[in-house]
Amino acid sequence: MAEMTEMETTPVENNNELALITSEAQPNKRRKKKSMVWEYFTIETVSAGCRRACCKRCKQSFAYSTGSKVAGTSHLKRHIAKGTCPALLRDQDNNQLTPYNSRMGGSEPPKRRYRSPSSPYIPFDLDRCRHEIARMIIMHDYPLHMVEHPGFIAFVQNLQPRFDKVSFNTLQGDCVATYLREKQSVMKFIEGVPGRFCLTLDMWTSNQTLGYVFITGQFIDSDWKLHRRVLNVIMEPYPDSDSALCHAVAACLSDWSLEGKLFSLTFNHPQSEAGLENLRPLLCIKNPLVLNGQLLLGNCIARTLSSMAKDVLGAGQEIIKKIRDSVKYVKTSESHNDKFVQVKNQLQVPSEKSLFLDNQTQWNTTYQMLAAASELKEVFNCLDTSDPDYKLALLMEDWKLAETLCNFLKPLFDAASMLTTTTNPTTITFFHEAWKIHADLCRLITSEDPFISNLAKSMQEKIDKYWKDCSLVLAIAVVMDPRFKMKLVEFSFTKIYGEDAPTYIKIVDDGIHELFLEYVALPLPLTPTYADEGNAGNNAKTDESHRGNLLSDHGLTDFDVYIMETTSQQMKSELDQYLEESLLPRTQEFDVLGWWKLNKMKYPTLSKMARDFLSIPVSAAAPDSVFDIVDKQLDEYRCFLRPETVEALICAKDWLHYGSEVSHALVKMEF
């Protein structure tokens, strides 16, 4: 014990027995006390042979030594460290003192601690702690009941004994409060968005047969940056009804005040014609059949690619199982894996890919497993010579079939991967990807191998449907890219349609001019007269003397109408002027949104049209769900939460992930 005794012994040579001389009599020989508690206590002599430790803060005294018995310092540490000293607590609340922190054990002596200006003492804040727990629950998908688990309670009590236990209901309220606070930030952020909004609808199922519509908004801000935010998660009792998505979208538009601003809808839940008719009036375009109604993108590209991948996996399920079993044999045993690596080194196989088992709910992992195994087929073929227990060797025909499957899956994988990584408009990219896949399948259909030909036919049916439903919107988005304009449309359609290409090219040209006229007809933001036109007319009737002069707004109403009419004639050629200009050089790093930001004054109307079209999402799937081959299902725990709580947890997680300058500013103001 560090403070075993404060008595020091000195032999007295003149006597036959040892004399004990106290430390008070020998102050120069007293051993320096090392415990940090002595920063808070002094030793006072009460009577002969009896001393007590007195707290410097609250003046309360504690037993220290009686005769040769010393009480030690543990009870003194508890007085300081456990927060029982009333005076110390007052000092902490006033931010005057760095709290005591004991160091138990260890070979090094404790060092004296000094308060550093760079790391000031932060007083305990119960509200802030509850706020941070709510953020933690939201950001990491922890169950709300975690705060009532004994292990969590014990952990927190050891960190901070003053922190009160939080109940499930309290935490639920804190999470909803965080959601509402972040929602205000997002609302302020999107209020300044000058363009229109595009929504994606992703229908999730549940084990209670309830549907949950995940509604995500995509838009381009005033700085021409593309944004994506989860706006709502709406529970639908009858997800297969014709009105399910319509109800969800209407609720979203009302919730976010987006009526009249909805430009397009992309969804992955198949809709009947009645369902589409319910959705169409919600679009902001006056003519609901503009562009043949293709602003309702009912064919999500991620679901289309996944459906095609399922065709490939289904056609090769037997060989895939054989390869999966071989990979499983190697990866589930350390000794088997060592032998596999040994054979690979002996054969000097140059492949850098590693074997791994696939997740059968995501087709990209199966493709990657097949691709890695195919590159290491020589190792598998020779593995039985080094490992006699390996009885799963594949034939050369099997490996050839595996490579065929990989050839089918690779273009799908490359295209789908863009949905998980790109931050640029996907409509331009997927025009090229869709027609390229379409052209490849047309070529494979003519193969003499019946397996290849039949599989290509099955896949082409799906890409044909997608192309029929979405090609016009994709083509117009490509026209908005100054590197391609109509030239890429003409080139691609010639490859796909052959002699019929001029007919389909004309459809695109007519569609883009038709939509351009819609934008030309919009009021020009020249003066505030348009908003007050009715009031101005009424004022003119009641008092002719207030008509104003040429320089006042009251006298320019007719002039504004004249400007709109004459300028409209000029603006009709704005699109043609853009199309006639030379193409820009194709560079990989080209920023199409940045180009329109620089040229919005040159093309004031066309830039608005470009802003809306380039914000159209081609996929309704979240980045982590792009490769799913099963329907998304809400987990069992969240199914038993209130729908409002589910929405709060999911939306707030998305907003906290992205964050915004507005959000950070608001949080800073609150705290």
Side-chain angles (χ1 to χ4, degrees):
M1 183 180 294
E3 286 82 15
M4 281 296 297
T5 181
E6 296 297 331
M7 307 290 293
E8 296 184 358
T9 60
T10 304
V12 181
E13 297 178 355
N14 296 332
N15 299 325
N16 295 329
E17 58 182 12
L18 294 177
L20 295 177
I21 302 178
T22 64
S23 58
E24 284 84 0
Q26 299 287 340
N28 59 318
K29 293 186 178 181
R30 180 183 299 174
R31 184 159 56 100
K32 183 179 179 181
K33 295 179 175 62
K34 297 180 180 180
S35 176
M36 290 182 65
V37 299
W38 301 117
E39 296 181 17
Y40 302 89
F41 287 90
T42 59
I43 297 177
E44 296 180 355
T45 301
V46 179
S47 61
C50 179
R51 293 182 300 166
R52 295 183 66 84
C54 182
C55 177
K56 296 179 181 179
R57 299 288 173 177
C58 67
K59 305 305 180 182
Q60 184 177 352
S61 66
F62 298 84
Y64 180 61
S65 68
T66 303
S68 61
K69 294 182 179 180
V70 179
T73 59
S74 297
H75 61 306
L76 307 181
K77 292 176 182 177
R78 286 193 294 270
H79 179 70
I80 300 299
K82 299 301 182 181
T84 58
C85 176
L88 186 59
L89 288 176
R90 288 194 299 271
D91 290 344
Q92 290 181 7
D93 290 338
N94 294 329
N95 198 17
Q96 294 178 354
L97 185 68
T98 302
Y100 168 78
N101 185 12
S102 61
R103 297 183 56 156
M104 304 302 293
S107 57
E108 295 184 3
K111 298 179 180 179
R112 185 179 180 88
R113 299 184 180 183
Y114 297 92
R115 182 180 171 195
S116 171
S118 61
S119 57
Y121 170 73
I122 301 177
F124 174 69
D125 188 333
L126 178 60
D127 292 337
R128 181 60 182 262
C129 290
R130 282 177 46 186
H131 171 73
E132 291 300 331
I133 287 181
R135 284 173 57 93
M136 176 189 73
I137 293 290
I138 292 170
M139 294 173 65
H140 303 291
D141 295 327
Y142 295 144
L144 274 69
H145 283 90
M146 184 181 78
V147 293
E148 296 180 346
H149 294 170
F152 179 81
I153 294 173
F155 171 71
V156 173
Q157 285 296 317
N158 277 280
L159 283 179
Q160 176 51 264
R162 297 171 60 196
F163 183 76
D164 295 331
K165 175 184 174 182
V166 178
S167 67
F168 165 83
N169 289 332
T170 300
L171 178 61
Q172 184 174 232
D174 291 344
C175 289
V176 172
T178 300
Y179 158 76
L180 293 175
R181 183 166 49 249
E182 292 297 323
K183 185 175 183 178
Q184 290 299 316
S185 300
V186 178
M187 274 189 158
K188 289 186 177 181
F189 179 57
I190 68 177
E191 278 177 1
V193 173
R196 293 162 170 170
F197 289 77
C198 301
L199 299 183
T200 67
L201 313 177
D202 191 9
M203 178 72 79
W204 287 35
T205 61
S206 70
N207 55 10
Q208 299 172 324
T209 70
L210 299 174
Y212 291 83
V213 185
F214 284 59
I215 303 181
T216 302
Q218 190 155 301
F219 53 91
I220 295 174
D221 66 13
S222 57
D223 197 37
W224 287 84
K225 301 296 182 184
L226 185 65
H227 297 273
R228 180 183 176 97
R229 296 290 187 276
V230 177
L231 299 181
N232 293 97
V233 178
I234 299 176
M235 188 268 285
E236 288 294 335
Y238 306 101
D240 296 325
S241 68
D242 294 334
S243 60
L245 293 186
C246 175
H247 170 265
V249 173
C252 175
L253 297 180
S254 175
D255 189 22
W256 292 91
S257 302
L258 295 179
E259 294 92 343
K261 298 181 181 179
L262 177 60
F263 186 64
S264 76
L265 285 170
T266 306
F267 45 90
N268 66 345
H269 191 67
Q271 288 292 293
S272 63
E273 189 58 36
L276 293 176
E277 290 304 318
N278 288 334
L279 287 168
R280 201 164 273 128
L282 298 174
L283 298 176
C284 61
I285 297 297
K286 296 177 183 177
N287 178 6
L289 296 179
V290 69
L291 303 183
N292 297 326
Q294 286 199 21
L295 288 176
L296 289 177
L297 301 180
N299 229 338
C300 163
I301 186 62
R303 297 285 80 83
T304 300
L305 295 174
S306 292
S307 179
M308 296 168 68
K310 285 176 68 174
D311 288 346
V312 178
L313 301 182
Q317 59 182 346
E318 293 183 4
I319 184 60
I320 292 174
K321 183 181 185 306
K322 290 182 179 180
I323 292 178
R324 184 181 293 119
D325 289 342
S326 290
V327 173
K328 189 184 301 183
Y329 177 87
V330 173
K331 299 304 294 181
T332 56
S333 170
E334 187 173 348
S335 61
H336 295 168
N337 187 70
D338 291 341
K339 291 178 181 179
F340 186 86
V341 173
Q342 181 182 0
V343 174
K344 177 186 175 183
N345 294 335
Q346 290 175 351
L347 296 175
Q348 297 182 346
V349 177
S351 175
E352 296 295 329
K353 292 185 178 179
S354 300
L355 293 177
F356 68 93
L357 282 171
D358 62 331
N359 174 1
Q360 296 183 50
T361 65
Q362 295 193 311
W363 63 266
N364 62 312
T365 63
T366 304
Y367 161 69
Q368 292 168 323
M369 179 187 72
L370 294 177
S374 295
E375 285 195 10
L376 297 167
K377 61 184 177 182
E378 296 179 26
V379 184
F380 279 108
N381 290 337
C382 298
L383 184 58
D384 55 355
T385 60
S386 177
D387 186 354
D389 294 333
Y390 178 67
K391 308 293 184 183
L392 303 171
L394 281 73
L395 302 175
M396 290 306 299
E397 291 79 6
D398 295 332
W399 289 115
K400 183 178 179 181
L401 180 57
E403 291 177 0
T404 299
L405 297 177
C406 288
N407 291 336
F408 272 106
L409 290 172
K410 188 179 188 308
L412 306 181
F413 173 78
D414 292 341
S417 296
M418 297 178 186
L419 297 172
T420 65
T421 58
T422 183
T423 56
N424 297 320
T426 54
T427 41
I428 297 174
T429 303
F430 275 89
F431 174 83
H432 178 71
E433 293 298 322
W435 82 258
K436 186 174 66 174
I437 292 173
H438 187 282
D440 289 343
L441 292 175
C442 288
R443 177 177 52 82
L444 292 173
I445 286 176
T446 62
S447 172
E448 297 180 357
D449 187 330
F451 177 84
I452 295 177
S453 177
N454 293 334
L455 180 55
K457 288 178 182 177
S458 174
M459 297 172 66
Q460 191 189 39
E461 291 178 3
K462 294 179 170 61
I463 197 65
D464 273 346
K465 184 179 186 310
Y466 178 80
W467 187 257
K468 178 182 177 181
D469 292 343
C470 307
S471 60
L472 184 54
V473 168
L474 298 180
I476 293 179
V478 166
V479 175
M480 296 294 101
D481 190 327
R483 296 171 298 173
F484 304 120
K485 302 183 180 179
M486 283 295 296
K487 295 301 181 181
L488 182 59
V489 175
E490 295 166 0
F491 172 77
S492 305
F493 280 19
T494 301
K495 295 285 187 180
I496 295 174
Y497 300 114
E499 295 180 355
D500 296 330
T503 302
Y504 293 95
I505 293 172
K506 186 177 185 303
I507 292 175
V508 175
D509 189 67
D510 291 346
I512 196 170
H513 281 83
E514 176 188 1
L515 194 65
F516 181 71
L517 293 178
E518 289 260 358
Y519 281 82
V520 170
L522 294 176
L524 299 178
L526 297 176
T527 69
T529 305
Y530 296 105
D532 301 327
E533 187 174 347
N535 295 332
N538 293 333
N539 293 335
K541 292 179 181 178
T542 56
D543 190 348
E544 291 292 332
S545 63
H546 291 286
R547 293 180 62 184
N549 55 40
L550 184 64
L551 298 180
S552 69
D553 286 345
H554 296 291
L556 295 178
T557 301
D558 294 338
F559 177 68
D560 288 333
V561 175
Y562 169 76
I563 287 293
M564 186 177 71
E565 291 176 350
T566 56
T567 310
S568 296
Q569 299 299 321
Q570 299 173 5
M571 281 189 173
K572 289 180 181 178
S573 64
E574 184 182 313
L575 172 61
D576 295 326
Q577 177 187 348
Y578 166 77
L579 294 176
E580 290 170 2
E581 290 183 351
S582 301
L583 300 180
L584 295 183
R586 295 195 310 277
T587 57
Q588 192 70 25
E589 298 79 15
F590 180 73
D591 180 7
V592 64
L593 296 181
W595 187 89
W596 280 106
K597 178 182 178 181
L598 294 175
N599 290 272
K600 64 182 179 181
M601 299 302 293
K602 182 178 180 180
Y603 303 109
T605 302
L606 193 59
S607 63
K608 298 175 186 176
M609 183 171 159
R611 185 197 300 271
D612 292 340
F613 260 92
L614 295 178
S615 66
I616 295 178
V618 295
S619 172
D624 60 349
S625 303
V626 167
F627 297 101
D628 288 352
I629 55 178
V630 295
D631 291 336
K632 297 293 290 186
Q633 188 172 23
L634 201 68
D635 62 80
E636 185 175 356
Y637 178 79
R638 286 184 171 175
C639 286
F640 289 97
L641 298 176
R642 295 186 307 171
E644 297 83 1
T645 303
V646 173
E647 180 178 53
L649 293 173
I650 294 172
C651 292
K653 178 182 179 180
D654 179 77
W655 302 337
L656 290 172
H657 169 72
Y658 285 103
S660 67
E661 293 182 3
V662 176
S663 176
H664 290 313
L666 286 179
V667 171
K668 191 172 183 180
M669 287 172 60
E670 287 219 14
F671 292 102

